[in-house]
Amino acid sequence: MTESKNSKTWIITGATSGLGLALAEVALEAGERVAGTARRTGRFDALKARYGDRLLAVAHDVRDVAGAAVVVERALTVFGQVDVLVNNAGAGQVGASEEVSDGELRDMLDQHLFGPAAYVRAVLPHLRARGSGAIVQMSSQGGRMSFPAVGSYSAGKFALEGWSEALAGEVAPFGIRVLIVEPSRFRTEFNASDVLRTTHQDATYDGVIGAVRANMAEADGIQEGDPVRAAAAIRDVLAAEDAPLRLPLGAEAVRNLTRVYRRSLEDVGKWASVSESADFPGMPQAVRAF
C-alpha cells in the first residue's frame, strides 16, 4: 500500500456496503483518501482499523440535503481537497404504481435526485476553482429502462440521469467530468430483505408483479455482478481520456440497454412521419443552442 502527497481524495456516500464500499476499498488500497458517509458510522470500524486517518467516516443520511454541504466542508478541512464525488447512497423499492404512496415516491426522489444534487452543488465551487475533478452518479440499468413494480425506483434514477446529463455539459468547460454508472445486478445488500423496500401489497396486482417481487427477493446473494470488479472498471473509465457519459455495468445491463435503445430507435423510425406531421408546413429546421 502506497501513499502520496498528491493522491486523490474521494467523497463516497453510502460507503459501508455494496459498490460504495468496493470503491472506498480500492481507493484506500491505492493510497488515496476517502471521506465516506453512512447513517451509522460504526460500520466503518473495520476500514478505519486498516486505513487509519486516510478514511474520514461521517454520519449522514443522503436525504438530509442541508447536511451535504457539511460533509463536503469536513472533507475539505481534513484533506484539503476533493477530486471525486461518488453519489452512491440509495435503496431499491418494489411496488406497483397504485401501491406506492406519495411519501414512498418522494423518498425515492429524495435519495436518488435531491440528495445527490445537494452534494454536487456543495462540491462544485471547489472543483471549478481547481479546474478538475469528477462526479460519479450511481444510477442503474433501471435509470434508462423500467418494468412493472420498479416504477418508483426508476423515477428517481431517470430523474438523476436527466439532471446529470445536463450537468455534464455545464461543467465540462471547467475541466470537470461526469460519469453516470448503470449497474445491473451486483452482489451487494441491494436485494436483502432488510434493505430492499416493499410497499403495501394489493392482491389485485399479484398476477402482474408477483413474479417480479419474488425474483427481486430471490436474487439476494446470487447476483452475477462482482462489486470489486465493478469498482476497478469505474476507476479505469474515470482515468480514460475518452470516457463515456454513461457506463452500463454488467453483462445484463449491456444486453438490456442495447435492446431498449434498438427498440426506441425502431419506434422513432416507424412513427417519424406522424411525428413530423405535427409541425407547421414548410418550417425550416430549428436552430438551438445545444
Side-chain angles (χ1 to χ4, degrees):
M1 186 170 63
T2 60
E3 187 169 355
S4 167
K5 191 177 294 185
N6 297 318
S7 66
K8 289 182 179 179
T9 297
W10 300 60
I11 294 177
I12 305 176
T13 66
T16 57
S17 65
L19 295 175
L21 174 60
L23 280 168
E25 288 187 310
V26 74
L28 291 164
E29 188 62 29
E32 297 169 345
R33 299 167 298 226
V34 172
T37 77
R39 281 181 275 184
R40 298 183 298 278
T41 56
R43 299 183 67 185
F44 282 112
D45 288 350
L47 280 182
K48 194 71 176 173
R50 288 163 60 193
Y51 299 107
D53 291 341
R54 284 195 288 109
L55 172 67
L56 172 65
V58 186
H60 184 242
D61 186 324
V62 70
R63 293 169 293 189
D64 171 19
V65 294
V70 177
V71 176
V72 172
E73 187 59 36
R74 283 198 62 189
L76 290 173
T77 299
V78 173
F79 295 131
Q81 69 186 61
V82 172
D83 300 276
V84 185
L85 166 67
V86 181
N87 277 311
N88 170 73
Q93 183 163 268
V94 180
S97 299
E98 190 176 350
E99 295 174 333
V100 176
S101 69
D102 283 348
E104 289 166 329
L105 181 56
R106 287 193 184 97
D107 188 63
M108 290 290 99
L109 292 170
D110 285 341
Q111 293 194 60
H112 302 132
L113 175 63
F114 292 111
Y119 270 98
V120 169
R121 286 193 299 268
V123 80
L124 269 182
H126 173 72
L127 298 183
R128 280 192 290 102
R130 297 189 65 216
S132 65
I135 297 167
V136 180
Q137 307 284 53
M138 298 301 297
S139 180
S140 166
Q141 64 177 349
R144 295 295 275 177
M145 56 174 280
S146 196
F147 51 90
V150 300
S152 60
Y153 174 74
S154 284
K157 294 301 189 181
F158 267 65
L160 176 67
E161 293 217 12
W163 189 84
S164 299
E165 186 169 337
L167 171 70
E170 294 162 0
V171 301
F174 302 103
I176 303 166
R177 301 166 70 176
V178 175
L179 176 65
I180 303 170
V181 182
E182 300 168 329
S184 48
R185 287 181 171 175
F186 279 78
R187 202 164 299 179
T188 68
E189 296 178 8
F190 182 89
N191 295 90
S193 59
D194 59 341
V195 175
L196 182 64
R197 301 176 181 194
T198 303
T199 64
H200 171 75
Q201 296 182 15
D202 183 338
T204 304
Y205 287 95
D206 286 352
V208 181
I209 65 172
V212 176
R213 289 188 188 121
N215 182 258
M216 294 284 282
E218 292 165 358
D220 186 38
I222 61 170
Q223 301 98 321
E224 62 271 31
D226 179 349
V228 176
R229 291 174 182 268
I234 292 169
R235 283 178 64 90
D236 287 346
V237 171
L238 283 176
E241 289 296 325
D242 59 346
L245 173 62
R246 289 179 168 87
L247 177 67
L249 205 55
E252 183 190 54
V254 172
R255 291 194 304 271
N256 284 341
L257 295 181
T258 298
R259 171 176 51 83
V260 166
Y261 290 146
R262 283 177 176 161
R263 186 176 64 198
S264 295
L265 283 172
E266 288 169 0
D267 285 345
V268 170
K270 179 178 179 180
W271 295 96
S273 61
V274 175
S275 301
E276 293 165 351
S277 72
D279 285 353
F280 289 108
M283 291 292 293
Q285 290 187 3
V287 177
R288 303 290 290 269
F290 56 87

